[in-house]
Amino acid sequence: LGPGLLLVAGSFAAFRLLNRGLERLVPPPPSARRNRWKWRNIWTSLAHSLLSGGGALAGFCLYPGLPEDLAGTHPPGAHGLVAVSVGYFLEDFVDMLCNQKLQQSWELLFHHSVVIVCFGIAVVLHQYIGFALVALLVEINSIFLHLRQILLMANLVHTTCYRLNSIINLGTYVVFRIATLAWMTRWLFLNRENVPLATYAVGTVGMAIMTPMNIILFYRLLRSDFFK
């Protein structure tokens, strides 16, 4: 419990510092200067997606037998990666709460609350880390979602780069977001007798919330980038 909480706190502080210094590292273009907070927020989210999505993918590539036991076993470093992600989601939650109107951010705040609870249980219990690692595969798609927002803010919509990113974004959305959530739901259903009732309830509620949210976002992306 101690090291896990320390990692969460350290991650929170590190992402907070990164957020504060990003404007010097990546100065906003003229089109994004009206919303400097969002520019910093998206780049911070991109940094987390690269770290967590890349780490999760590396875990499954290096340990192909991991899906056989998602509850009790996990690769070295996986617990730390999940704890770091909890710290990031806490930082992003606070950042949005302080800088954005509730009606604009309630969906993401709700999403972050579910993730913090589910990942927090895994970090504290040192169980279901493998399951949380599967969930972090979603962040591979988030890389391209954040790049899309950066290109939009930089007023680069009518470029080849934006179009290419839109196609990759949609492909990774299907593979790493929709398919991953479907696989996680199936795993929960098949292992319901091996998972404690409270944990199973939290996981089921989490999947029940995330699935429609991601289907709605998929529809919005299609409508915006392909059926405008």
Side-chain angles (χ1 to χ4, degrees):
L1 182 60
L5 289 180
L6 282 173
L7 267 173
V8 170
S11 169
F12 178 92
F15 279 108
R16 200 72 187 145
L17 286 171
L18 177 64
N19 187 292
R20 295 288 177 86
L22 264 170
E23 222 171 309
R24 293 180 181 178
L25 295 171
V26 192
S31 55
R33 285 173 190 164
R34 288 184 178 181
N35 201 346
R36 293 174 181 271
W37 163 79
K38 190 176 180 182
W39 180 258
R40 294 194 307 270
N41 180 271
I42 294 169
W43 276 99
T44 306
S45 299
L46 177 61
H48 168 258
S49 295
L50 287 166
L51 173 66
S52 58
L57 189 62
F60 282 98
C61 290
L62 293 171
Y63 299 90
L66 180 61
E68 295 173 12
D69 183 13
L70 295 178
T73 62
H74 51 269
H79 180 266
L81 187 65
V82 177
V84 165
S85 288
V86 174
Y88 159 74
F89 283 111
L90 282 168
E91 189 278 331
D92 200 44
F93 188 97
V94 172
D95 197 35
M96 284 190 290
L97 208 58
C98 294
N99 293 285
Q100 204 171 26
K101 292 179 180 178
L102 191 59
Q103 66 242 30
Q104 294 175 311
S105 60
W106 71 268
E107 287 182 51
L108 273 175
L109 290 173
F110 188 53
H111 167 274
H112 284 17
S113 300
V114 174
V115 174
I116 289 165
V117 170
C118 294
F119 280 18
I121 289 171
V123 170
V124 170
L125 297 181
H126 283 260
Q127 288 186 312
Y128 311 105
I129 297 295
F131 190 75
L133 211 63
V134 175
L136 285 177
L137 289 173
V138 169
E139 293 297 322
I140 294 171
N141 168 248
S142 294
I143 293 169
F144 302 99
L145 273 176
H146 299 319
L147 281 174
R148 177 182 179 273
Q149 286 184 294
I150 288 167
L151 291 169
L152 279 169
M153 290 193 73
N155 203 20
L156 296 172
V157 179
H158 304 292
T159 61
T160 304
C161 185
Y162 183 88
R163 190 65 182 167
L164 182 62
N165 185 75
S166 294
I167 295 167
I168 298 171
N169 183 31
L170 206 67
T172 55
Y173 199 104
V174 173
V175 175
F176 290 106
R177 195 172 286 268
I178 293 176
T180 297
L181 288 171
W183 191 87
M184 290 168 69
T185 304
R186 176 180 175 273
W187 186 89
L188 270 175
F189 178 76
L190 293 176
N191 291 273
R192 62 189 182 279
E193 294 180 0
N194 303 319
V195 178
L197 182 60
T199 308
Y200 180 76
V202 171
T204 304
V205 170
M207 291 299 101
I209 292 168
M210 293 297 182
T211 302
M213 285 181 75
N214 280 282
I215 290 171
I216 291 167
L217 180 57
F218 184 70
Y219 167 72
R220 288 175 181 171
L221 286 170
L222 275 176
R223 187 180 63 182
S224 176
D225 288 353
F226 294 93
F227 301 135
K228 189 178 288 183

